[in-house]
Amino acid sequence: MDQTERRETTPPFTLLMAVYGGNSLREVERSVQSSTIEQTLPPSQVVIVRDGVVQDPVQRYLDTLQSTMSVWFTAEHPDMPVPEVTIVPLDENGGLAHALNVGLRYCAYDIVARADSDDVSLPHRFATLIPLFVRRSNAAHTNAQSRRPIDVMGSAIREFSDDEDEPGQIRMLPAEGSDLERYARMQSPVHHPSVVFRKSAVLDAGGYPEDSGRFEDYMLWERLMLAHAQFLNVPQALVLYRTNEAAYERRGGGEMFREELRLQWRFVRDGFTTPWQFLRNVFIRAIYRVIPTPLRKRMYRSMTSRHNTEIAASPQPPQPPKRGRHSAAPRTHADDAQSAQ
């Protein structure tokens, strides 16, 4: 099946992003390019919310992105329609949750893929996730706990610092079912920069919580799980997640722990976690947030390695075949997703 045939047999979907003043032109350009023209299955629509004032080069890039996209696709995919670009300007920075809630209003399709403005999508990301998302949504769910279709799908991610050719640690998650339900009571059940979700399900759950500090994604997944939405993770690393020493510093400190405490209190109050799980989570998070950054980094890497080993030993959903000119042996190279740690 070539790219045109795949596009004709796959429902259209929207790519949703947000940019803000802290993003550089290099980051935004690389993220957009990797999520559109480099994809073997590009989105039909690109919605980018400008969350307040951005750097001048970034603004100029956004102003000309539709024409740039037309040039890209004329050169690279002349047989495919050019994605429609929708730029949503917000006068003031209202935070990621608010930006994404506004952006959802402009998404023309029910299938929405997220991308962060400083991460990189690997070329087969959407060709892997979207057909599987559609199949699992249309077919009867095989999980004995439910017959509902999949509402949220994510993937593993691989960290990188600055050079995409120097990949770092992979971060895997349980695939689905009871394993993922248990995991979600301790850590975020999906990596936010990797997800594809059903817009209608997110809107029915009230959208992204805008009073959640830096945990807007985790609290959204809680809302959806309480509403019995179905989640699935594929084991492939389909997103390169940008991280550095500053990211480990941001995961620590008193303010971060206070936000964590509010999050855990919200979970136990909502009935998402038990009092015992609340005490366990707060104790572990307190240690993780207050230890020195070098020790936090080592602890994080050790925990991730252990989780990966446990998850790799568990049954995984089948991997769909990769097709297209970018499909040969992909580089398995990932602070939205910081709430997962």
Side-chain angles (χ1 to χ4, degrees):
M1 181 184 294
D2 62 24
Q3 294 177 6
T4 302
E5 291 173 330
R6 186 186 298 114
R7 186 61 176 264
E8 290 175 350
T9 58
T10 304
F13 66 97
T14 297
L15 173 69
L16 175 61
M17 302 176 61
V19 301
Y20 77 113
N23 291 131
S24 68
L25 174 62
R26 177 171 172 257
E27 292 172 345
V28 174
E29 190 172 31
R30 183 71 191 101
S31 181
V32 172
Q33 183 173 338
S34 73
S35 299
T36 55
I37 191 61
E38 293 184 6
Q39 290 294 311
T40 58
L41 180 64
S44 302
Q45 180 195 26
V46 178
V47 173
I48 302 179
V49 181
R50 192 206 67 195
D51 192 13
V53 178
V54 296
Q55 299 176 28
D56 288 343
V58 174
Q59 183 62 59
R60 289 193 294 270
Y61 176 75
L62 296 177
D63 290 341
T64 60
L65 183 55
Q66 183 67 79
S67 59
T68 300
M69 198 79 70
S70 298
V71 172
W72 281 349
F73 274 79
T74 298
E76 292 285 331
H77 299 304
D79 56 340
M80 300 182 71
V82 180
E84 176 189 354
V85 176
T86 304
I87 306 297
V88 184
L90 302 181
D91 292 336
E92 297 182 359
N93 182 293
L96 182 61
H98 177 69
L100 295 180
N101 282 335
V102 173
L104 282 172
R105 303 174 197 162
Y106 293 84
C107 292
Y109 306 108
D110 194 43
I111 300 177
V112 176
R114 276 279 293 119
D116 277 351
S117 52
D118 58 352
D119 294 333
V120 178
S121 295
L122 294 179
H124 55 291
R125 178 189 172 195
F126 299 141
T128 299
L129 291 180
I130 300 298
L132 181 58
F133 185 87
V134 172
R135 288 200 303 272
R136 291 295 299 267
S137 295
N138 293 337
H141 195 285
T142 58
N143 188 326
Q145 295 179 346
S146 175
R147 306 289 292 182
R148 291 169 57 94
I150 294 295
D151 298 294
V152 181
M153 179 180 289
S155 76
I157 57 179
R158 186 184 279 274
E159 297 177 346
F160 79 108
S161 179
D162 189 58
D163 187 349
E164 297 174 32
D165 294 322
E166 295 183 2
Q169 189 173 36
I170 290 179
R171 292 163 58 174
M172 299 178 65
L173 294 170
E176 59 182 325
S178 58
D179 288 343
L180 187 59
E181 288 280 349
R182 284 193 299 271
Y183 188 90
R185 269 61 184 181
M186 178 67 179
Q187 300 188 71
S188 178
V190 287
H191 296 306
H192 193 198
S194 77
V195 299
V196 172
F197 58 67
R198 195 172 302 284
K199 180 180 73 169
S200 54
V202 170
L203 293 180
D204 287 346
Y208 285 89
E210 297 188 16
D211 59 347
S212 52
R214 285 168 280 191
F215 293 99
E216 66 281 321
D217 57 324
Y218 199 175
M219 289 188 67
L220 174 60
W221 313 142
E222 181 230 17
R223 285 182 174 182
L224 285 165
M225 283 190 162
L226 288 174
H228 307 292
Q230 300 300 302
F231 287 65
L232 175 67
N233 285 308
V234 300
Q236 302 101 307
L238 301 176
V239 172
L240 304 185
Y241 174 68
R242 192 182 300 272
T243 188
N244 50 35
E245 293 297 324
Y248 291 103
E249 293 180 5
R250 289 194 297 271
R251 291 171 181 163
E255 180 57 32
M256 189 66 181
F257 176 67
R258 284 189 288 274
E259 288 192 20
E260 178 85 53
L261 189 60
R262 288 193 292 269
L263 174 79
Q264 297 298 335
W265 174 247
R266 174 74 171 267
F267 283 175
V268 73
R269 187 187 68 185
D270 292 347
F272 186 64
T273 57
T274 65
W276 158 245
Q277 290 169 331
F278 168 80
L279 293 174
R280 176 202 62 186
N281 294 349
V282 169
F283 176 74
I284 294 174
R285 297 298 186 169
I287 295 174
Y288 183 75
R289 301 301 181 192
V290 301
I291 59 177
T293 298
L295 185 56
R296 182 182 306 114
K297 182 177 180 179
R298 289 197 295 271
M299 180 179 176
Y300 158 75
R301 291 185 178 277
S302 176
M303 291 173 59
T304 300
S305 178
R306 178 172 59 82
H307 289 158
N308 288 349
T309 301
E310 294 173 351
I311 293 166
S314 302
Q316 299 291 341
Q319 299 186 17
K322 304 179 183 68
R323 304 182 179 92
R325 66 184 181 92
H326 293 290
S327 62
R331 291 189 310 240
T332 54
H333 287 296
D335 189 79
D336 263 346
Q338 75 176 7
S339 59
Q341 296 298 332

